[in-house]
Amino acid sequence: MTKTQTLFQSYDLQDTLKLKNRIVMAPLTRCMATDELVPTQAMADYYARRADAGLIISEATLVSQDGQGYPNAPGLYTEAQVAGWKKVTQAIHQNKGKIFAQIWHTGRVSHSIYHQGQVPMAPSAIRLEGRVPRTDDLEYETPRAMNLEDIERIKSNFVTAAKNAQRAGFDGIEIHGANGYLIDQFLHRDSNHRTDSYGGSIENMMRFLLEILTQVKAATPDLAIGLRLSPQAYANMKHDDRDKELYDVLLSRLNQYNLAYIHTGMFNDSHNEFLGGTVTQYIRKNYLGTVIASGGYSADDAVHAIENKYADLVAIGRPFIANHDYVTKIQEQKKLVEYDPEMLTSLY
Ligand code: FNR
């Protein structure tokens, strides 16, 4: 038995969803869709080359145009986008792979250049410090606080995107509740200063996410729903000690939602004083269902996490950009090409 054999055990994600191995391709924004945010044939080919992963999670995909914060990131709210994604899911299925759509709204991690001069919206009018990626060094702006109509509309956009994902042939969806984007902005003290029923108490701060889950579940009862979370603020968000209380409650509450999995949103999932372990270990401690680890995992780290039962599956990001044949290389113990950000300029 080779060292990495553990990664090649199959896994029943849900009754009808069997993964052929424990390796997940992490969601990776590539900004290669058309100007109408439609996935292309080149994207279908790129994903199809990686179909030997147990599960692919698509790059973050917009539920509505007002969620855009990057150029040429794909959407899932027009018929042309659904048709584009169909090509991707068919290519994956032809190669015997499985793919979930990660559905997304950036909230304040955006800029008025994407919204005809209007500032983006967020739970509260609190500016993110820093520069907007892939622009000419523009700074983030103070967003406008969402009103209750905005909240209702965005929730229904998540529902429509889930239905569209099902029509496009995805095997499931992952709701992007991580990395400082809109849902995460409701879950952290740094970005949620609301005083209405969507802020203040833990119950109120969780409401937006939990309502999305309930509504998506009701609209697509047969669709597998995963969720990515960042209990430790690390991207597009400032840390606040009070955040842990919320995640303690949220993770145990999520046990009632029959999710396909919870997925760690973290760049480097190392030991973390705040949570008393890695973020994945913390999720595992509080949540009873399937856990996907992510954040700087080598194949050996992945074996360690699975054998020690910290995680059931491990998502691999940057090495999958650098190695379309990541799974074969791990299986055959071949040397991996090292990731270089320069690789983001092409879609091999
Ligand atoms: C990412 N990551 C990311 N996460 C996410 O939830 N949705 C996304 O669309 C993206 N996009 C993205 C693009 C690029 C270029 C990078 C490098 C990362 C985070 C990614 O899924 C993963 O969590 C991290 O890269 C850490 O895992 P690795 O790369 O160390 O295996």
Side-chain angles (χ1 to χ4, degrees):
M1 184 155 139
T2 61
K3 272 201 313 199
T4 55
Q5 196 60 37
T6 302
L7 301 179
F8 294 92
Q9 295 163 348
S10 63
Y11 187 77
D12 290 326
L13 194 52
Q14 290 194 327
D15 290 347
T16 54
L17 205 57
K18 197 184 190 75
L19 309 185
K20 60 195 167 194
N21 59 53
R22 305 297 183 100
I23 301 170
V24 175
M25 177 180 167
L28 294 158
T29 290
R30 302 301 313 267
C31 300
M32 295 285 187
T34 68
D35 289 344
E36 287 72 42
L37 314 187
V38 173
T40 62
Q41 186 59 46
M43 286 167 62
D45 297 342
Y46 156 85
Y47 282 112
R49 278 191 284 277
R50 290 159 175 82
D52 51 2
L55 176 66
I56 293 174
I57 302 168
S58 81
E59 63 206 274
T61 297
L62 295 164
V63 299
S64 53
Q65 199 283 323
D66 61 16
Q68 186 176 2
Y70 296 79
N72 302 93
L76 201 38
Y77 55 88
T78 69
E79 285 309 307
Q81 292 163 351
V82 172
W85 278 119
K86 246 184 213 160
K87 285 191 208 151
V88 177
T89 62
Q90 280 166 359
I92 298 293
H93 292 150
Q94 255 162 26
N95 289 2
K96 310 243 176 305
K98 301 253 189 279
I99 181 165
F100 277 31
Q102 188 188 53
I103 59 174
W104 181 49
H105 191 295
T106 62
R108 69 177 180 170
V109 188
S110 179
H111 192 275
S112 54
I113 51 165
Y114 297 114
H115 312 290
Q116 295 85 40
Q118 306 291 311
V119 292
M121 57 185 149
S124 301
I126 301 168
R127 196 175 81 88
L128 175 64
E129 275 171 37
R131 310 260 166 199
V132 187
R134 299 180 190 244
T135 63
D136 290 332
D137 225 18
L138 294 170
E139 282 199 18
Y140 286 111
E141 302 152 309
T142 303
R144 81 175 167 79
M146 291 164 77
N147 58 37
L148 292 179
E149 261 170 51
D150 297 320
I151 289 182
E152 287 307 312
R153 189 181 63 254
I154 305 296
K155 282 190 292 188
S156 76
N157 290 339
F158 271 92
V159 171
T160 306
K163 288 188 195 159
N164 287 343
Q166 199 162 35
R167 288 198 295 129
F170 282 99
D171 300 286
I173 56 163
E174 176 174 289
I175 293 181
H176 197 345
N179 300 355
Y181 296 111
L182 181 65
I183 292 176
D184 204 23
Q185 289 159 31
F186 277 88
L187 297 172
H188 286 273
R189 298 277 171 187
D190 171 44
S191 46
N192 185 347
H193 292 193
R194 295 181 77 94
T195 53
D196 65 359
S197 58
Y198 289 91
S201 66
I202 288 178
E203 214 50 54
N204 285 351
M205 291 173 75
M206 299 191 306
R207 192 177 310 282
F208 183 62
L209 167 62
L210 295 180
E211 287 179 345
I212 289 174
L213 289 177
T214 303
Q215 292 184 14
V216 167
K217 192 97 210 153
T220 54
D222 305 327
L223 189 66
I225 303 170
L227 173 63
R228 195 168 214 199
L229 290 175
S230 295
Q232 170 66 75
Y234 81 103
N236 304 318
M237 190 68 72
K238 280 202 199 110
H239 170 85
D240 186 308
D241 278 346
R242 291 169 297 172
D243 290 340
K244 181 168 177 297
E245 296 173 86
L246 180 144
Y247 281 90
D248 288 350
V249 176
L250 177 61
L251 287 165
S252 83
R253 183 74 59 84
L254 288 169
N255 289 314
Q256 299 164 16
Y257 282 78
N258 192 26
L259 297 174
Y261 61 78
I262 294 184
H263 179 185
T264 305
M266 197 72 194
F267 256 76
N268 177 6
D269 191 24
S270 56
H271 182 85
N272 179 312
E273 288 298 322
F274 177 59
L275 298 175
T278 65
V279 176
T280 301
Q281 287 165 347
Y282 167 73
I283 292 174
R284 179 60 119 196
K285 209 168 76 190
N286 291 281
Y287 175 70
L288 303 172
T290 297
V291 174
I292 307 183
S294 167
Y297 281 77
S298 66
D300 288 345
D301 298 333
V303 169
H304 179 80
I306 292 172
E307 289 185 349
N308 287 287
K309 307 207 182 315
Y310 301 140
D312 304 291
L313 303 162
V314 178
I316 303 293
R318 288 161 286 188
F320 246 122
I321 293 177
N323 302 270
H324 67 87
D325 50 355
Y326 178 85
V327 173
T328 311
K329 281 186 174 153
I330 294 303
Q331 197 155 27
E332 296 177 0
Q333 298 184 311
K334 290 198 177 130
K335 199 167 156 30
L336 294 172
V337 174
E338 204 163 317
Y339 171 76
D340 178 334
E342 276 296 305
M343 293 170 177
L344 295 177
T345 55
S346 76
L347 204 56
Y348 183 64

